[in-house]
Amino acid sequence: MSYPLVIKRVLFYTLQSILTKYGGLIMNFKVKLFPKGHSLHPTQFFKNYEFQTVTIHWTGNQYGQTHSVVYDWWLKQNNGIGAHFVIKNEHCLQCVPTYAIVAHCGSATGNRTSIGIEVIPENAAGKFSEKSIKTIKELLSLYPPKHIVRHYDWSGKDCPKNYIDNATWEKLKLAITPDSW
């Protein structure tokens, strides 16, 4: 059960053109999409295949996790809840194409307009590492300017926990916003 060859080629050539355009990436970027038939396999798509908002999450206080643990947990749960990307330090795993809708923020509007970025924190308090912050910024620089929000802004959930306080959030938002925006 995998994506048709044509989709794999499109993803490969898209990533290849991004790498060529930007002279390579600092982050370690990998794509591992959910298999056909899984609840997180794309079946609904953003209007005009373009997201409007970026929603930042944290994976909870499981700071020792790896991308594989998060991906495998979503795979096992098979409940349609996940995110487009998982970031830990300089590693970025794409799980869902950025043109596809996935439930991730507890809001129908948010899910229909936003991509989700799950960040594995560096400690139980939920603080993101400096490497993770740089990786988010680098990832976002690959896209046109978007509105950046927290999961908290959609549903009131304490996510990302360390950034619920508005002053702390504004500092993080400034740090992850690409200079080109």
Side-chain angles (χ1 to χ4, degrees):
M1 300 206 154
S2 64
Y3 285 85
L5 185 58
V6 69
I7 291 177
K8 288 181 181 178
R9 285 184 180 154
V10 167
L11 289 170
F12 173 77
Y13 290 119
T14 301
L15 182 57
Q16 186 179 41
S17 69
I18 289 170
L19 291 171
T20 302
K21 180 178 178 183
Y22 291 95
L25 300 173
I26 296 169
M27 69 177 148
N28 179 348
F29 187 89
K30 294 185 180 180
V31 177
K32 185 176 182 183
L33 302 176
F34 291 100
K36 190 173 184 178
H38 190 274
S39 63
L40 287 170
H41 180 82
T43 58
Q44 296 180 342
F45 307 100
F46 294 122
K47 184 178 180 181
N48 299 323
Y49 297 95
E50 187 175 335
F51 61 94
Q52 303 303 311
T53 308
V54 175
T55 302
I56 304 296
H57 302 266
W58 77 314
T59 57
N61 66 359
Q62 307 299 318
Y63 57 91
Q65 308 182 88
T66 64
H67 299 92
S68 296
V69 169
V70 175
Y71 179 91
D72 290 346
W73 188 79
W74 286 335
L75 199 61
K76 182 179 176 187
Q77 294 300 308
N78 201 17
N79 63 5
I81 299 172
H84 295 80
F85 298 96
V86 181
I87 290 177
K88 181 177 184 179
N89 296 322
E90 67 277 1
H91 302 282
C92 178
L93 176 66
Q94 182 174 6
C95 306
V96 177
T98 55
Y99 57 79
I101 294 172
V102 64
H104 65 89
C105 63
S107 159
T109 301
N111 293 336
R112 285 193 312 269
T113 62
S114 176
I115 62 165
I117 300 176
E118 285 280 356
V119 183
I120 300 171
E122 71 175 0
N123 60 33
K127 185 176 186 301
F128 297 170
S129 72
E130 287 302 316
K131 288 181 180 179
S132 291
I133 290 169
K134 288 179 183 176
T135 300
I136 297 168
K137 184 174 187 171
E138 185 174 9
L139 175 65
L140 294 181
S141 74
L142 302 176
Y143 300 98
K146 303 293 179 187
H147 187 61
I148 304 171
V149 299
R150 305 164 284 194
H151 184 172
Y152 174 83
D153 297 319
W154 293 113
S155 67
K157 183 176 181 178
D158 63 346
C159 175
K161 187 172 183 98
N162 197 57
Y163 303 97
I164 296 304
D165 172 72
N166 286 333
T168 309
W169 167 244
E170 289 302 322
K171 185 177 176 185
L172 175 67
K173 196 161 111 175
L174 184 63
I176 63 175
T177 301
D179 300 331
S180 60
W181 287 13

